[in-house]
């Protein structure tokens, strides 16, 4: 097997964990995007393996369902040569009542180098990171943050538009329950884009404008002349009570269709983190329009972003002290 040379690691990304976009500098964001860019090229070659994480162990611990994030982290770890373990929460001792901290300390005792964690509660991944010696990557914690998705979205936009600075990005739909929205707001603001949130008042957190965003309750007003449209799913698994009268009415007012899209810039890109609910937040005619929709590009670039994150954190992951 031919194993290619590792890409030299930048010395200025010094974080031990990746728990959120909040707090990362524009330079750190740019470093990670640059590294991800080199993985995009590598993934398009026949020989995709590098052995930068050979001998390292990656554990994926997902307390919530996932298709894209989990698969791409697993594939990313394997392409970098790590041993990858998937913990299935449904068949683990978590189902017997073990606490999150006990689970974390148990896994830690097996000396992994990187733990990738998704959890339904905001803050749970940060809490867990305080109890382990390895690097921790947040793969989504409740409606708090989903940092790797924001990197995916930024890389997708950058590859199409060259730069994020000055772009108008409309994030539309269930902002209230969306970790994708929060991570994207932090990243887009840090990189000089202008963020608009388009949603009914019931799906916007109070005082969200303090995050430096413009608010719209009307799709046509919010999409007017924008460069990028990010659609969000109605996250009913996080809803207690009723937030929209009906999905039919929601689609009528807030679903992206050709007619609403027509007020955006003629070359505005359509994005969605997935999974999509067709006919609820997005019409198939726009989701599948390959001249405008970059939804499958986001999936391809998701792998490269996760390779970059594992590379940068995994290569630097400290060995556990032997007295531990
Ligand atoms: N996949 C994204 C997340 O995990 C978006 C979604 O579920 O709607 O947050």
């Amino acid at each position: 097997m031919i194993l290619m040379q590792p890409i030299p690691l930048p010395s200025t990304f010094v974080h031990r964990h990746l728990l959120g976009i909040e707090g990362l500098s524009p330079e750190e964001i740019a470093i990670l995007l640059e590294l991800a860019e080199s993985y995009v090229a590598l993934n398009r070659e026949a020989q995709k393996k590098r052995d930068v994480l050979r001998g390292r162990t990656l554990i994926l611990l997902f307390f919530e369902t996932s298709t894209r994030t989990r698969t791409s982290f697993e594939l990313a770890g394997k392409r970098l040569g790590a041993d990858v373990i998937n913990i299935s929460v449904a068949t683990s001792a978590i189902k017997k009542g073990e606490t999150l901290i006990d689970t974390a300390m148990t896994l830690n005792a097996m000396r992994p180098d990187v733990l990738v964690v998704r959890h339904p509660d905001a803050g749970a991944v940060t809490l867990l990171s305080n109890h382990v010696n390895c690097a921790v990557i947040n793969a989504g914690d409740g409606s708090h943050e989903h940092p790797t998705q924001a990197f995916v979205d930024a890389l997708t936009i950058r590859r199409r538009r060259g730069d994020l600075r000055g772009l108008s990005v409309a994030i539309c739909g269930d902002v209230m329950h969306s970790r994708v929205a929060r991570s994207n707001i932090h990243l887009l603001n840090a990189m000089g884009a202008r963020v608009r949130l388009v949603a009914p008042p019931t799906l916007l957190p109070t005082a969200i404008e303090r995050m430096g965003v413009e608010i719209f309750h009307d799709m046509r007003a919010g999409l007017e002349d924008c460069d990028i449209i990010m659609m969000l799913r109605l996250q009913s698994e996080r809803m207690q009570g009723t937030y929209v009268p009906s999905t039919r009415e929601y689609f009528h007012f807030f679903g992206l269709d050709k007619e609403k899209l027509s007020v955006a810039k003629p070359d505005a890109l359509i994005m969605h983190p997935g999974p999509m609910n067709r006919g609820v937040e997005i019409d198939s005619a726009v989701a599948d329009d390959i001249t405008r929709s970059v939804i499958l590009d986001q999936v391809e670039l998701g792998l490269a972003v996760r390779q970059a994150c594992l590379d940068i954190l995994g290569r630097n992951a400290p060995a556990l002290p032997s007295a531990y």
Side-chain angles (χ1 to χ4, degrees):
M1 192 193 326
I2 304 159
L3 296 171
M4 322 216 10
Q5 285 305 305
I7 300 164
L9 269 190
S11 54
T12 39
F13 193 98
V14 289
H15 301 275
R16 178 153 162 237
H17 307 299
L18 177 63
L19 300 172
I21 298 292
E22 189 177 13
L24 294 184
S25 68
E27 294 71 32
E28 289 168 331
I29 292 168
I31 284 169
L32 205 131
L33 293 176
E34 277 308 314
L35 187 58
E37 194 69 66
S38 53
Y39 279 109
V40 178
L42 182 69
N43 288 336
R44 290 179 179 180
E45 287 175 18
Q47 177 49 252
K48 301 170 176 60
K49 277 241 184 200
R50 285 179 192 272
D51 66 349
V52 290
L53 296 187
R54 189 147 55 107
R56 300 284 194 170
T57 304
L58 164 66
I59 299 184
L60 308 182
L61 180 60
F62 278 55
F63 294 85
E64 268 189 359
T65 57
S66 172
T67 304
R68 283 148 283 266
T69 307
R70 185 178 180 132
T71 312
S72 58
F73 265 117
E74 178 165 355
L75 197 51
K78 288 180 173 164
R79 290 225 175 136
L80 298 181
D83 294 316
V84 186
I85 311 292
N86 249 302
I87 309 273
S88 162
V89 168
T91 55
S92 73
I94 296 153
K95 280 278 169 222
K96 297 181 180 170
E98 187 172 69
T99 67
L100 175 67
I101 303 304
D102 283 338
T103 304
M105 286 169 44
T106 300
L107 296 176
N108 191 52
M110 296 179 204
R111 304 190 172 217
D113 299 284
V114 186
L115 259 177
V116 176
V117 187
R118 170 170 286 189
H119 198 280
D121 297 332
V125 182
T126 302
L127 178 71
L128 181 148
S129 73
N130 294 328
H131 294 268
V132 296
N133 303 83
C134 59
V136 175
I137 298 180
N138 181 3
D141 62 325
S143 44
H144 176 227
E145 280 232 37
H146 190 352
T148 59
Q149 182 67 48
F151 282 126
V152 171
D153 298 344
L155 189 64
T156 308
I157 299 171
R158 230 177 61 141
R159 288 177 66 84
R160 295 284 183 140
R161 291 286 179 271
D163 195 5
L164 297 172
R165 183 158 295 284
L167 293 178
S168 277
V169 183
I171 304 180
C172 313
D174 185 4
V175 177
M176 170 85 96
H177 303 100
S178 175
R179 49 198 178 207
V180 173
R182 254 166 222 85
S183 289
N184 263 306
I185 294 169
H186 287 302
L187 190 150
L188 292 165
N189 277 340
M191 302 311 271
R194 291 191 307 267
V195 182
R196 310 171 183 183
L197 300 181
V198 188
T202 48
L203 291 177
L204 282 172
T206 46
I208 187 85
E209 59 282 355
R210 286 199 209 137
M211 288 186 81
V213 292
E214 254 188 291
I215 306 293
F216 295 85
H217 299 308
D218 176 81
M219 270 295 256
R220 284 166 199 82
L223 296 187
E224 194 170 359
D225 283 332
C226 74
D227 298 282
I228 311 289
I229 306 172
M230 289 185 180
M231 297 308 299
L232 301 171
R233 182 175 63 89
L234 279 180
Q235 287 143 93
S236 41
E237 72 276 23
R238 275 192 258 290
M239 291 183 188
Q240 274 145 13
T242 312
Y243 287 78
V244 294
S246 70
T247 50
R248 202 185 146 108
E249 190 171 329
Y250 180 77
F251 180 73
H252 177 71
F253 288 106
F254 290 97
L256 185 66
D257 56 16
K258 289 244 175 209
E259 195 267 315
K260 296 187 195 88
L261 177 63
S262 66
V263 301
K265 289 218 175 116
D267 61 348
L269 300 177
I270 300 162
M271 305 179 72
H272 195 303
M276 277 188 281
N277 283 162
R278 292 167 184 264
V280 179
E281 75 273 2
I282 193 162
D283 189 35
S284 286
V286 294
D288 300 334
D289 177 354
I290 53 165
T291 64
R292 308 289 291 275
S293 166
V294 291
I295 296 168
L296 290 177
D297 293 25
Q298 289 172 271
V299 179
E300 179 189 355
L301 302 180
L303 176 57
V305 159
R306 275 125 200 165
Q307 283 166 296
C309 294
L310 290 176
D311 187 352
I312 230 162
L313 295 179
R315 261 201 262 179
N316 290 337
L320 283 178
S322 52
Y324 169 77

